[in-house]
Structures are given as C-alpha cells and as structure tokens.
Amino acid sequence: MEESTAESTSYRPMVVIVGAGLGGLFLGILLERARIPYRILERAIEVKPLGAGVTLNVNIMPAFEQLGLLDDLLKIGMPVYDVNLFNEKMQKIGTVSGMNRRAIDGYDTHLFTRKKLYDLLLKHVPEHKISFGKRVVNIEERDSKVFIQCADGSIHAADILVGADGAYSTVRQALYKGLDQRGLLPKSDLKKLAAGYINIIGTAQPIAKGDPTAMLNKYPQLKEDTVQFSSVIGQKQLSWGVASAKDNEVTWGIAYQLSEKEAGDQLKSSEWNPESSSDMLRGFYDLPCPWGGTMGEIIEATPKEMRSRVVLEEKVFETWHHGRVVLIGDACHKMLIGAGLGAVNALQDAVVLSNCLYDLPNINAESIKAAFQEYYEQRYSHAVKAFKLSNMVSGVMNGTSWKQRIMRYILLNYIPAKLHERSYAESTAYRPQCNWLPLVAKRGTGAVSPQKPSRRYTEEQARAKAAVPVSHIVANAAAAVV
C-alpha cells in the first residue's frame, strides 16, 4: 500500500487535485508558483485531450500574463473576431460579431485546439507531481486530514482535496453522498444534469491523403491569419460547423439537439469518447461544408483517435465545498459550449481558489471553511451569469427549435449594436488575477472590476519595503568614510 503526504507550514496546506484536465493543471501551475505543496491524481493512464476548439479571452488572459505564459499561449492560437451563420442551403443568415475589441479589452479572444492548450499547461507542471492511473474509489475525512483511496490500493493524505474531475466528478459524488445522508444537501443538487445536445467533434490535420498542401489548397480560409468560423443551422435538430486553427488545422463539430424525451433517455457521458463516434458519423458525411465540399471530407482528414462524441449537458450546482473538499470547473458548473466559457470559468476558479489558499492563516478546519466560502462567494454569481450566457449563445449558434430560430432572427437583425456592446463590456470587466503576484496593468480603455487584495501578499510587500538591504547599508557606510 502506498501512502503519500507532505509536511505543511502554518498556512501552506498539502493539496491533492483529482483530475488533470485544463482546470486541474492550471491550479497545479498556480500552486507551484505560490509554493503550496500539491499532487495531481488522474484516473486515465494517459490523458488524451480530445475535443476541438477552446476559446480564451480577456476574462483569463491577464492571469496567463502574470505567470509569464501569455506569449507562449498566443503562439499556439489565433484571434477570432466573428462567426458566420448559414442555413442548410448555404445561404448566409447573419454574423455574430463584436469580438474584435482589442482596443477596448486590451486582448483578442483566441481559439486554440484543445491538444495544444493542454500540452502547454502540462509542460509547466513538474512531471513528478502528476500521477496517472489513479482512479479514486473512496474519500474519508479524519484526524484533520482528508484521505483519498485509489483503485490501485494507494492512499493519499492531504489537508485539502480539490475535485477537478469533470461533470460526473467522483469527488463530488462522494461529497454529496455523505452530505445527503446527513440531510445537508439541497434537493436541487440531487437532480441530474440537463442534456441539450449530442456532439461529435474533432480536429482535422493539415495533411490530407499524404499531400501536405491538400488542406491549404482546398480551403483558402486557412490562409487567413484570423480564425475563419462558419456555422450551419440545419433542419431536423442538426447543426454543424468548421473553424480554422493554428498550423492549418480545422476544428469542427456536428450537433444533434435533443428533444426533452431524448434528453431523458440519454445515459450519462462524462468522457470525450472516440470509440462511440464512428457509427453516428456515417450519417453526416454528405452534409455540405460551409467552406465547400462535404463534412465527410473534413471528417476523413481527422485521425480516428481525435474524433469524439459527447452528450453536452448543463447545470450549476449549489454546493461547491464542505469540510476539506472543494470543487472547481465542470465538477460544480457544467456549461454548454456555444459561448466558449467552460474552460475560461474553470481557469477562473483555479485563480480565485489559489488566492484564497494563499491567504490561509493556518490549516485548521475553520480557516479552510472560511477560505472555501470566500472562493464560493467570489465565483458563484459569475458562474451563474456565464451559465446563462452559454445557454443563450448555444441557442443562437446551434438551436433548431422554433423559439431559438425566432430568438436568433431578432438578435441578428433587431438588437441595437450599442446594446450588444454594453452587454459585452459588462461580461469582460471581470478579470480575476493572482492577488499574490504583481497585478498586470490595465490594457485597453474598457472598465475592469476591482481586484480583492491579498492580505498575506500586502503584509509581505510591506515588510519587504520596510527592510533595508545590506548592500544599501554598506554603500552608505562607505560614502560616509569617504
């Protein structure tokens, strides 16, 4: 039996993160920089960052800049300014624009392939701090610790356990089971996630049929230095689209909107599963690609292991923490992908949680409870807003019901540009940074929400300013002698 633990200082807890997804890795990077001991447990033997495109924007890029990762981040992505919408006859029905706001926000919204973004984050987490093949089977709090037991028999002790393990989080299920048995869990947290769409997504590679120029010649959209994003709203609950990405890759997706009955019949899907997509894909090869040709040609240029099928679900849970256990990302708020806010919010969770952990005065239960509650109060309302926006934008981008078609027509044709601008400005003002690092100066002309300062960092800076460097004393002494 293996047991892992670590000595903690009065305010630096030993943290175990379950889940090596984007949120778990980013939290690891933050804890590494904050010198808070941690370990990441991932149930997969090897994580395959399946999926298509991920967008990051001004709401999280200042944190990347603080960490010195912004330049590397921008190298693997491309700015995205608008999305062109078509009907199934390839007639343009409108453009969702307004994302070209660098002068106002200070940053462009960028699109990345999930693999490139994942690899970038993984590179900045020390290899010895991630353990793969660690499927959690039991969680128990005792003796002022939380013990995490894995299927391989290993037991990992920590002061704090972070569940970053997705929409069907094992950590959340264990936490909720205990709370429900004691009558402490809100009834809403027992309800299932609402299933909205079945998606098959992937990333087509630049080399098709052995010809390295095939994709580039076939799709001139790839020659542009900004993301070319085209989405088709079809009939019979179908929508699909393509978007260009760095290095001439093409991210794509096909969405089937579930009826209420179909949503109720769906089995839970906590994984991006390449094996289950093949049968479903065969019926979509003849769909017209908005760039020309068919979607089948895009699909064939996508390695099978990079195709994945997932049921897209949504829900914001009320309970994010209890005792020494706390949740981040999809484990506490699962969003539809239309607005591209799922990854952004998971990373924001990591930033705010790291701020609260940095300010821990000690690792007593009451201090940890207060830190978790502070994290919840800072993040919950913003997650709810992002959840509602994701639902609305997904309806505009992919919705095929008559209500969604009417809403899309009104939004594209009758909502004044100033109203769009005001709404966008409100959503981009929130930009949480690490308050235990020097804050990045404001970019652009847009408003920025105030950042809550770190008590510990403020005290550390004050002590540093009050201390007189030895070199300064020696220099003054030498000057006096002369």
Side-chain angles (χ1 to χ4, degrees):
M1 177 180 290
E2 170 194 353
E3 181 167 336
S4 68
T5 186
E7 294 296 325
S8 300
T9 67
S10 61
Y11 66 94
R12 287 178 178 163
M14 173 60 192
V15 180
V16 168
I17 303 167
V18 175
L22 299 179
L25 290 181
F26 198 58
L27 180 58
I29 293 171
L30 293 165
L31 298 183
E32 186 75 24
R33 289 292 299 274
R35 297 183 180 180
I36 296 175
Y38 69 96
R39 185 170 184 178
I40 301 175
L41 306 179
E42 168 56 46
R43 68 176 180 176
I45 301 298
E46 177 186 1
V47 174
K48 296 180 179 179
L50 300 171
V54 177
T55 56
L56 300 181
N57 61 8
V58 63
N59 297 119
I60 193 61
M61 284 188 173
F64 276 87
E65 188 168 0
Q66 279 187 296
L67 295 168
L69 300 179
L70 184 62
D71 289 343
D72 288 342
L73 180 71
L74 299 184
K75 288 176 184 177
I76 63 171
M78 291 172 57
V80 52
Y81 295 145
D82 50 48
V83 181
N84 293 312
L85 301 179
F86 300 84
N87 61 25
E88 61 183 4
K89 296 179 181 179
M90 294 301 106
Q91 297 168 330
K92 189 173 180 179
I93 58 176
T95 299
V96 178
S97 57
M99 289 179 276
N100 187 0
R101 291 172 44 94
R102 186 170 185 177
I104 299 172
D105 295 340
Y107 303 84
D108 284 326
T109 296
H110 274 63
L111 181 141
F112 312 85
T113 63
R114 182 172 289 270
K115 184 180 187 309
K116 284 189 173 71
L117 179 57
Y118 184 88
D119 288 346
L120 173 65
L121 297 182
L122 184 63
K123 184 174 67 174
H124 290 276
V125 176
E127 186 175 345
H128 68 278
K129 293 192 177 182
I130 304 180
S131 298
F132 293 95
K134 297 290 184 179
R135 181 170 63 86
V136 175
V137 295
N138 188 48
I139 296 167
E140 181 182 1
E141 286 191 49
R142 54 183 169 83
D143 303 326
S144 300
K145 293 282 184 180
V146 56
F147 294 88
I148 305 97
Q149 182 178 354
C150 297
D152 63 1
S154 61
I155 298 176
H156 309 270
D159 299 306
I160 288 172
L161 169 60
V162 180
D165 49 341
Y168 283 90
S169 165
T170 299
V171 174
R172 188 188 69 238
Q173 291 177 34
L175 175 66
Y176 281 15
K177 181 179 179 181
L179 291 176
D180 188 39
Q181 289 173 346
R182 288 178 282 168
L184 299 177
L185 190 69
K187 291 183 179 180
S188 62
D189 282 341
L190 292 173
K191 294 180 180 179
K192 296 180 179 179
L193 286 81
Y197 302 83
I198 295 178
N199 267 37
I200 300 182
I201 57 182
T203 301
Q205 301 303 300
I207 298 177
K209 298 180 180 179
D211 181 357
T213 64
M215 292 288 278
L216 195 60
N217 292 334
K218 187 175 184 62
Y219 305 112
Q221 292 85 352
L222 296 177
K223 298 177 182 179
E224 301 293 332
D225 56 5
T226 60
V227 172
Q228 304 301 297
F229 199 151
S230 300
S231 184
V232 181
I233 314 298
Q235 301 295 326
K236 299 179 181 179
Q237 300 168 265
L238 275 181
S239 60
W240 61 94
V242 290
S244 57
K246 193 75 171 181
D247 300 323
N248 302 325
E249 293 182 314
V250 180
T251 65
W252 57 271
I254 299 170
Y256 176 82
Q257 187 171 14
L258 297 167
S259 65
E260 289 187 15
K261 182 180 184 305
E262 289 171 325
D265 292 339
Q266 286 299 314
L267 296 175
K268 74 177 184 180
S269 174
S270 61
E271 299 208 12
W272 300 87
N273 189 346
E275 288 78 17
S276 60
S277 62
S278 298
D279 292 340
M280 189 176 178
L281 270 176
R282 294 190 184 98
F284 302 140
Y285 270 53
D286 292 333
L287 292 175
C289 174
W291 291 355
T294 66
M295 289 300 296
E297 294 168 321
I298 295 286
I299 295 169
E300 282 298 309
T302 306
K304 290 184 178 181
E305 65 273 14
M306 291 303 294
R307 307 172 188 174
S308 51
R309 172 188 180 275
V310 66
V311 179
L312 297 183
E313 298 153 312
E314 58 176 354
K315 181 173 181 175
V316 177
F317 293 89
E318 290 187 46
T319 305
W320 288 22
H321 67 89
H322 187 81
R324 293 179 177 272
V325 181
V326 65
L327 307 172
I328 68 171
D330 286 356
C332 53
H333 48 68
K334 181 71 174 70
M335 304 174 191
L336 298 180
I337 64 175
L341 295 177
V344 169
N345 275 264
L347 302 181
Q348 288 176 335
D349 288 348
V351 171
V352 174
L353 182 58
S354 75
N355 291 346
C356 296
L357 297 185
Y358 192 85
D359 267 352
L360 274 174
N362 53 59
I363 56 174
N364 295 337
E366 287 303 312
S367 295
I368 289 174
K369 178 181 178 181
F372 287 172
Q373 185 61 25
E374 176 68 24
Y375 155 69
Y376 178 81
E377 290 175 358
Q378 287 192 41
R379 287 291 303 136
Y380 182 78
S381 62
H382 291 286
V384 170
K385 290 178 183 177
F387 171 84
K388 293 178 179 178
L389 181 59
S390 295
N391 181 280
M392 186 272 288
V393 174
S394 292
V396 172
M397 299 287 291
N398 304 110
T400 59
S401 71
W402 67 271
K403 288 184 180 180
Q404 290 167 325
R405 293 180 188 276
I406 292 173
M407 180 181 69
R408 180 166 47 246
Y409 184 80
I410 292 173
L411 286 173
L412 292 176
N413 297 282
Y414 291 104
I415 302 299
K418 287 186 177 180
L419 189 59
H420 282 296
E421 285 291 318
R422 187 185 311 161
S423 176
Y424 190 89
E426 290 175 358
S427 67
T428 57
Y430 178 65
R431 312 171 185 183
Q433 297 188 39
C434 306
N435 61 13
W436 39 271
L437 289 174
L439 297 181
V440 171
K442 173 186 170 183
R443 290 187 176 192
T445 60
V448 179
S449 301
Q451 174 85 37
K452 184 172 182 177
S454 163
R455 172 190 54 80
R456 182 173 297 281
Y457 181 73
T458 300
E459 293 172 354
E460 290 170 345
Q461 293 300 104
R463 287 196 296 269
K465 288 181 180 179
V468 180
V470 174
S471 59
H472 183 67
I473 295 175
V474 172
N476 285 346
V481 172
V482 174

